[in-house]
Amino acid sequence: MEQVGYLNFVFEGKTIQRMELLVLTTLKWRMLPYTPCRFIDYFVRKMNDRSNPIGTFCD
């Protein structure tokens, strides 16, 4: 993939990936995938009106 716009700074893909990982590690972010289980839990909680938590389906 090529960079678009001004070419004052040119970065390779590996360099960008290292920078992204450094930022995520520094901020202690945890990347979690969104799976169907997350959506099921969300909609069950919505239907249940959060008054009576029933646990999660996909722990």
Side-chain angles (χ1 to χ4, degrees):
M1 180 183 285
E2 293 183 24
Q3 286 185 229
V4 179
Y6 299 106
L7 296 179
N8 294 339
F9 303 99
V10 178
F11 297 101
E12 295 180 2
K14 283 188 171 192
T15 305
I16 294 171
Q17 185 179 20
R18 281 197 323 253
M19 286 189 278
E20 288 174 346
L21 289 172
L22 176 65
V23 169
L24 290 172
T25 302
T26 303
L27 296 176
K28 297 179 182 175
W29 288 12
R30 288 186 276 163
M31 302 291 289
L32 299 174
Y34 280 94
T35 64
C37 294
R38 290 186 182 265
F39 291 103
I40 291 170
D41 286 340
Y42 172 79
F43 287 115
V44 166
R45 290 174 198 271
K46 282 291 237 190
M47 289 185 291
N48 201 24
D49 198 24
R50 296 183 182 150
S51 60
N52 186 16
I54 59 172
T56 59
F57 288 103
C58 303
D59 278 338

